[in-house]
Amino acid sequence: MSATEMNPAPVVIGVDVGGTKIAVGAVTRTGEMVQAGRYPMDRSTQQTSLTSIQVALDDFLSSWPHAAPLALGFGVVGRTDPAAGIWVRSMNIPISESVDMTARFGAPYGLRAAVDNDVHAATLAELHWGAGREARDFVYLNVGTGTATGIVTNGALVRGAGNHAGEFGHTFTGVAPDVPCPCGRCGCLEPVASGGGLIERARELLPAYPDSPLHVAEQQGQLNAHAIFAQADQGDPLATRLADDMVNALGIALANLINLLDPQAIVVGGGVWADGWLLPRVQRIVQATALAGALSDLESIAPSSLDPDHVGLLGAAILAWEVVAERE
Amino acid sequence: MSATEMNPAPVVIGVDVGGTKIAVGAVTRTGEMVQAGRYPMDRSTQQTSLTSIQVALDDFLSSWPHAAPLALGFGVVGRTDPAAGIWVRSMNIPISESVDMTARFGAPYGLRAAVDNDVHAATLAELHWGAGREARDFVYLNVGTGTATGIVTNGALVRGAGNHAGEFGHTFTGVAPDVPCPCGRCGCLEPVASGGGLIERARELLPAYPDSPLHVAEQQGQLNAHAIFAQADQGDPLATRLADDMVNALGIALANLINLLDPQAIVVGGGVWADGWLLPRVQRIVQATALAGALSDLESIAPSSLDPDHVGLLGAAILAWEVVAERE
């Protein structure tokens, strides 16, 4: 038995609640992931969703061999009230009645439970164990199914007056101003510059581009951001239109944000960056359009140094460590 | 002799350095302006500018009847390095060689001197003695000759990585995208939505509108934002175009900012708001375009409760009080 096993460091439990899976992990105060597990999510109803989380947590804790953890932290989708520890509501996972996370999940173990949305959680992971080790002012920009940011100023996460801060996806940029957004407005960033928006927009435009190779991708179930970027490189007019709008909208919105906040770093995360196509193109727009002063302070626009499979879990664990710190 | 005069509270000296005048005041830790004076600024050269400041300060302090102040604080235009106490450079007041404010102005009095730009200073005044008494997250939006913001998150001024934060005037909104900005780009907010920009744009467009009553205003030296708003109310096409672009650009940029930062309040300051024309129109655009969540948290878009003649001075005094707090 190693020294660590004999005298293990205290841990909290982080729970990353996604639409298809639940990740649970035990994390030390220095960000070491001691043990982690993945569990299925049945999001048919609010009840099945909460039961899935309970089952995952119970299973993980029943096999946890060390001293009891100090707190629980949950990163979830939708609206949360972190100060009160409440998951207020969510569309993607159907939460219509608000959930007191300590009462529902912590109480059986005698533990307090913290909660915040997944982007705030990922940003906290960056703050404590990623970009934040170097920068007191940075922005975490997630482009996956949607587009969202976590903002850090003066070394602290910006939650805003009601925990709504970071809705970068609803920036109006003037690019594709007539494209409707699920929020009810037109011209938002998200429908033009997210993975989900890109696919939806491609589907709407495909009938007008009968020769586009994206028809084949669609038939093969392969219509995604990477297929669109690849076809843009081949000169397909539809893919080029979609990709150009995305690059321009993201570049403009990011330049606006950089001028406003003067960050030291932009950390990018989310699946849409994965193939490396998007980043240099967005960097070029930002370099060409942001102000010289802010650009001189911006050291990098670069992918996170954290493991994308773990960033949500680590962020959920930070939420729990914040609860522990409050108590101390 | 009153009790206050016999045993006065400690003060710092705030200096609000403008292009045409210099305001100097003694301010207590609770924001009471004990004594204030106004002095002329000769900004012919860097040397005459610095001498003007020195003369103002010497005169004010020679007539100060109480115990020596604890520190000096300067609100200036242009670029500053608050951490180092340096006025780096400025165009409007010609500062081309950086000025160490403690060495130049504090040392003769044995005092440390702090410095920051005028919008950061005004925002600090709001934070300590205005909107910040109620809100930990707010934005100070100044629309005068230019357009700039001071951002407060988590109860602290956002300076950014290199004190460049707040350049809201260079937000690209898609309104009047071809209008050039002195920054070298096109489509920035400032040339469309500031007092100075409005006048300049009116002058450029006047030849294309030979019947506009704004020709008369120009001849009478009265071409300003208020004249343009008044003529827009009368249906003049040029004034309407200018005023509509301003309202739309400000509304869009502000909605983007509100979605991003989720502030509790927007505090407006600067001469362009003074006649009351602009505010309800911008409020209407924001209400129609910002996200419901952020709007539910935004309690007001309203003028500052602070005296506009004193806000710069009070902010400069806060900079000095920050230096005093560091030492304690």
Side-chain angles (χ1 to χ4, degrees):
Chain A
M1 193 175 257
S2 77
T4 306
E5 282 170 322
M6 286 174 67
N7 191 13
V11 297
V12 295
I13 304 299
V15 186
D16 180 16
V17 179
T20 57
K21 58 156 188 51
I22 298 161
V24 185
V27 180
T28 69
R29 198 187 279 264
T30 55
E32 193 197 346
M33 178 89 68
V34 181
Q35 188 173 311
R38 282 175 170 247
Y39 302 87
M41 163 58 98
D42 174 0
R43 56 169 167 160
S44 312
T45 67
Q46 170 155 346
Q47 201 188 325
T48 63
S49 301
L50 296 180
T51 301
S52 296
I53 297 170
Q54 188 70 62
V55 167
L57 192 61
D58 289 347
D59 181 86
F60 185 86
L61 286 172
S62 70
S63 69
W64 175 246
H66 305 299
L70 300 180
L72 310 178
F74 294 85
V76 302
V77 292
R79 179 152 184 221
T80 62
D81 180 346
I86 288 173
W87 189 359
V88 178
R89 62 172 171 267
S90 152
M91 302 273 281
N92 183 19
I93 296 171
I95 299 298
S96 53
E97 282 175 59
S98 67
V99 183
D100 180 319
M101 302 301 274
T102 294
R104 179 69 178 80
F105 297 111
Y109 295 101
L111 297 174
R112 278 184 65 194
V115 66
D116 204 339
N117 72 55
D118 49 359
V119 177
H120 285 180
T123 307
L124 285 170
E126 288 295 338
L127 175 57
H128 287 259
W129 298 318
R133 288 175 305 181
E134 312 261 306
R136 282 173 56 78
D137 298 87
F138 71 90
V139 174
Y140 173 75
L141 169 57
N142 189 284
V143 184
T145 307
T147 308
T149 57
I151 298 163
V152 169
T153 60
N154 294 311
L157 174 65
V158 176
R159 287 190 163 101
N163 204 43
H164 289 105
E167 291 288 0
F168 185 66
H170 301 280
T171 303
F172 181 91
T173 64
V175 174
D178 300 327
V179 173
C181 180
C183 80
R185 304 190 300 163
C186 288
C188 288
L189 184 65
E190 190 156 275
V192 173
S194 65
L198 214 54
I199 294 168
E200 197 165 313
R201 214 177 151 213
R203 286 190 179 131
E204 273 164 25
L205 291 172
L206 268 170
Y209 293 81
D211 299 331
S212 173
L214 293 179
H215 284 281
V216 180
E218 169 71 333
Q219 284 150 21
Q220 295 175 341
Q222 299 290 324
L223 183 62
N224 56 37
H226 308 304
I228 291 165
F229 298 157
Q231 289 303 332
D233 280 345
Q234 300 298 315
D236 174 51
L238 171 56
T240 301
R241 176 177 171 184
L242 294 168
D244 281 357
D245 280 354
M246 180 173 197
V247 168
N248 286 325
L250 262 182
I252 288 169
L254 208 48
N256 286 349
L257 179 151
I258 289 164
N259 290 342
L260 197 65
L261 297 176
D262 187 25
Q264 189 176 339
I266 307 287
V267 182
V268 305
V272 173
W273 306 100
D275 65 6
W277 189 91
L278 188 59
L279 187 56
R281 288 166 174 83
V282 170
Q283 283 170 324
R284 218 169 296 146
I285 305 263
V286 169
Q287 283 294 334
T289 59
L291 292 173
L295 282 177
S296 71
D297 298 327
L298 181 68
E299 291 173 6
S300 64
I301 306 178
S304 171
S305 61
L306 299 175
D307 180 342
D309 284 341
H310 282 171
V311 64
L313 244 179
L314 291 172
I318 298 269
L319 295 166
W321 278 117
E322 284 183 347
V323 162
V324 173
E326 271 171 32
R327 206 172 41 195
E328 280 169 356
Chain B
M1 193 173 256
S2 76
T4 307
E5 281 171 319
M6 285 175 65
N7 192 12
V11 298
V12 296
I13 303 301
V15 186
D16 180 15
V17 180
T20 57
K21 58 157 188 51
I22 298 161
V24 185
V27 180
T28 69
R29 198 187 280 265
T30 56
E32 194 197 346
M33 178 89 67
V34 181
Q35 186 173 313
R38 281 174 171 247
Y39 301 88
M41 163 58 98
D42 174 0
R43 56 169 167 160
S44 312
T45 66
Q46 171 155 344
Q47 200 187 326
T48 63
S49 302
L50 297 180
T51 300
S52 297
I53 297 170
Q54 187 70 61
V55 166
L57 193 61
D58 289 348
D59 181 86
F60 184 88
L61 286 173
S62 69
S63 68
W64 175 245
H66 304 299
L70 301 179
L72 310 178
F74 293 85
V76 302
V77 292
R79 179 152 184 221
T80 62
D81 179 346
I86 288 173
W87 191 359
V88 178
R89 63 172 171 267
S90 153
M91 301 273 282
N92 183 19
I93 296 170
I95 299 297
S96 53
E97 281 175 61
S98 68
V99 182
D100 180 320
M101 302 300 275
T102 294
R104 179 70 178 77
F105 298 109
Y109 295 100
L111 296 174
R112 278 184 63 193
V115 65
D116 204 340
N117 70 57
D118 49 358
V119 177
H120 285 180
T123 307
L124 286 171
E126 289 295 337
L127 174 58
H128 288 259
W129 298 319
R133 288 175 306 182
E134 311 261 305
R136 282 172 56 79
D137 298 86
F138 71 90
V139 174
Y140 173 76
L141 169 57
N142 188 285
V143 184
T145 308
T147 307
T149 57
I151 298 163
V152 169
T153 60
N154 295 310
L157 174 66
V158 176
R159 288 191 162 100
N163 204 43
H164 290 104
E167 290 289 0
F168 185 64
H170 301 279
T171 303
F172 181 91
T173 64
V175 173
D178 300 326
V179 173
C181 181
C183 80
R185 305 190 300 162
C186 287
C188 287
L189 184 64
E190 191 156 274
V192 173
S194 65
L198 214 54
I199 295 168
E200 197 166 315
R201 212 176 152 215
R203 285 189 179 134
E204 274 164 24
L205 291 171
L206 268 171
Y209 293 81
D211 301 330
S212 173
L214 293 179
H215 284 281
V216 180
E218 169 71 332
Q219 283 149 21
Q220 296 175 340
Q222 299 290 325
L223 183 61
N224 56 36
H226 307 305
I228 291 165
F229 298 158
Q231 289 303 333
D233 279 346
Q234 299 299 316
D236 174 52
L238 172 56
T240 301
R241 175 178 171 185
L242 293 169
D244 282 357
D245 280 354
M246 181 175 197
V247 168
N248 287 326
L250 262 181
I252 288 170
L254 207 48
N256 286 349
L257 178 152
I258 289 164
N259 290 341
L260 196 67
L261 297 176
D262 187 26
Q264 189 177 338
I266 307 287
V267 181
V268 306
V272 173
W273 307 98
D275 64 6
W277 189 92
L278 187 60
L279 186 57
R281 289 165 174 84
V282 170
Q283 283 171 324
R284 219 168 294 146
I285 305 262
V286 168
Q287 283 294 332
T289 59
L291 292 174
L295 283 177
S296 71
D297 298 328
L298 181 68
E299 292 173 7
S300 65
I301 305 179
S304 171
S305 62
L306 298 175
D307 181 342
D309 284 341
H310 282 170
V311 64
L313 245 179
L314 291 172
I318 298 269
L319 295 166
W321 278 117
E322 284 184 346
V323 162
V324 173
E326 273 171 30
R327 204 173 43 193
E328 279 169 358

